[in-house]
Amino acid sequence: AVAVYLVCLVAIFAGCLYIDQPLTMYADLARTRSAWQEYEGWYVVRDFSIGSARFTGNPMELSEDMYTWYAEHEHDDGVYLANAINYKESTIRAYAGSDTTLEQLRYLAASPSYLELIGVDVSADVIERAEQGTRVYLLPESLSASEASEVRDFLVAARRPSDSNIVTPFMENPEYEFITYDADAELFTWSTDSEEPVATGGFVIAIVTAENMVPFESESLVASGLENAYVKLDERAASSLLDADGMVGIGGSVSARFATVGNYIDGLQKTLEELFALFSTVLVVLVVTVSVMVACLVDVVNRVSAREISVKYVLGFGVWDLYRREVLFVTVTALLGVGV
């Protein structure tokens, strides 16, 4: 009985520790729903299918099809590209070297259509050069000359052309242009991290078009989910490009399935709720088992030490004096579990 009790107790505490992470995720999802409310009706990539079967392989295998589809539709109303990354010091040093003084860099890859939507003013001739294959970056005008130089070095190193089946005009003839802009306006961070702000300023912005992409971007168009997705559709684009199931053909028998931000969050919450229900059931069973084991321990003590307990009871010993060892055993093991 003691062994079964200890095993059940360990299982209970292990289950409580394991379920703590899903609880944190559930709280983060609630925060994300509130923070992303403005984009709740926007569509992001959910998954892919080939014919009528869901694609379960590596989505990178479909990157060429997705790139071709995006290149054909990037100028359609309501089609956007937006992806934000908060680079920390370790990543910056990996690209720019250990001598860099940059400790953080907020980076936004955005299509001209998205920049127009959020009010970042970019002249037509700059957009034209980006659409001809030049990598155009907008740097905060608040950067000092030395900081701007370090940022430029990092951007060139981090988005250097590499071998890929997707070859863009930029990759054939790499050209860069860096322009300063007023970065005081707070922009949406597209983050689900509770430690990240919903909106902030100071972004370094890459004006991304199909012509000036590097493999880091062109092969990431297949990325799915809230934070990772690059391609985003508003209700207008979704109504014209997607079918009733949120599907769109991107080449041959390959289709991409989009889901609204709201539906995506609903799906994640439902999965977590099912996990909670399962663990709650298991924990209840274990708690009941432990309670039975405690009762069994008391019964065993009563049987083994019946004469001693009877004598002590007649002499006026209380429950604590009668079952001190058993109570201490249960209490200590429970406290040890809580401490762990």
Side-chain angles (χ1 to χ4, degrees), residues 27-335:
D28 287 344
L29 279 177
R31 171 194 171 276
T32 299
R33 181 183 294 280
S34 175
W36 289 50
Q37 188 173 7
E38 179 181 355
Y39 299 97
E40 189 173 12
W42 279 33
Y43 289 72
V44 296
V45 176
R46 188 178 188 93
D47 53 36
F48 296 87
S49 63
I50 296 181
S52 58
R54 181 180 177 183
F55 180 73
T56 57
N58 185 352
M60 293 294 290
E61 298 174 14
L62 309 178
S63 58
E64 284 185 78
D65 293 321
M66 192 65 187
Y67 171 80
T68 300
W69 178 85
Y70 177 77
E72 292 175 355
H73 295 282
E74 67 174 325
H75 294 110
D76 292 3
D77 289 339
V79 175
Y80 305 102
L81 183 147
N83 184 271
I85 302 174
N86 183 17
Y87 286 111
K88 300 300 177 61
E89 185 177 6
S90 58
T91 305
I92 296 173
R93 287 180 178 273
Y95 286 106
S98 58
D99 294 332
T100 183
T101 62
L102 297 175
E103 297 181 353
Q104 183 185 41
L105 188 147
R106 290 192 178 277
Y107 177 86
L108 174 65
S111 61
S113 58
Y114 181 69
L115 294 178
E116 181 182 2
L117 178 73
I118 62 177
V120 176
D121 186 28
V122 182
S123 63
D125 59 320
V126 171
I127 292 177
E128 182 179 357
R129 290 195 291 275
E131 291 179 339
Q132 291 173 350
T134 300
R135 289 286 294 188
V136 180
Y137 292 101
L138 305 181
L139 307 185
E141 59 186 13
S142 60
L143 295 176
S144 66
S146 60
E147 289 173 333
S149 177
E150 290 189 72
V151 169
R152 288 194 293 269
D153 291 343
F154 168 76
L155 293 172
V156 171
R159 295 295 183 270
R160 198 181 302 278
S162 58
D163 290 337
S164 174
N165 292 329
I166 303 172
V167 180
T168 64
F170 167 78
M171 294 170 64
E172 295 175 332
N173 182 30
E175 292 185 3
Y176 299 87
E177 183 173 349
F178 299 92
I179 303 170
T180 59
Y181 84 109
D182 182 358
D184 289 339
E186 294 191 342
L187 306 180
F188 189 57
T189 59
W190 295 101
S191 175
T192 60
D193 189 342
S194 60
E195 297 182 359
E196 286 290 311
V198 176
T200 190
F203 274 98
V204 170
I205 300 176
I207 304 178
V208 178
T209 66
E211 290 76 16
N212 70 7
M213 286 185 183
V214 292
F216 186 91
E217 294 146 352
S218 60
E219 295 178 2
S220 295
L221 296 179
V222 295
S224 60
L226 300 178
E227 216 170 25
N228 296 328
Y230 275 70
V231 180
K232 296 171 172 66
L233 311 177
D234 67 11
E235 292 87 343
R236 294 172 300 162
S239 63
S240 62
L241 295 174
L242 308 181
D243 64 17
D245 297 321
M247 306 286 289
V248 59
I250 60 174
S253 60
V254 180
S255 297
R257 181 163 67 112
F258 286 76
T260 65
V261 167
N263 286 341
Y264 203 96
I265 294 174
D266 287 341
L268 294 176
Q269 285 185 328
K270 182 178 179 181
T271 300
L272 289 175
E273 287 168 357
E274 291 173 349
L275 183 63
F276 295 152
L278 174 62
F279 268 90
S280 297
T281 302
V282 173
L283 288 175
V284 167
V285 171
L286 289 173
V287 168
V288 171
T289 303
V290 166
S291 300
V292 172
M293 290 300 103
V294 171
C296 289
L297 285 174
V298 173
D299 184 62
V300 169
V301 171
N302 286 334
R303 291 176 183 273
V304 172
S305 307
R307 180 175 298 178
E308 178 184 351
I309 292 174
S310 298
V311 172
K312 287 184 176 181
Y313 184 78
V314 171
L315 293 175
F317 283 76
V319 175
W320 167 251
D321 297 308
L322 293 175
Y323 301 107
R324 180 185 304 166
R325 289 173 300 179
E326 291 73 23
V327 171
L328 286 175
F329 173 72
V330 172
T331 303
V332 170
T333 53
L335 287 175

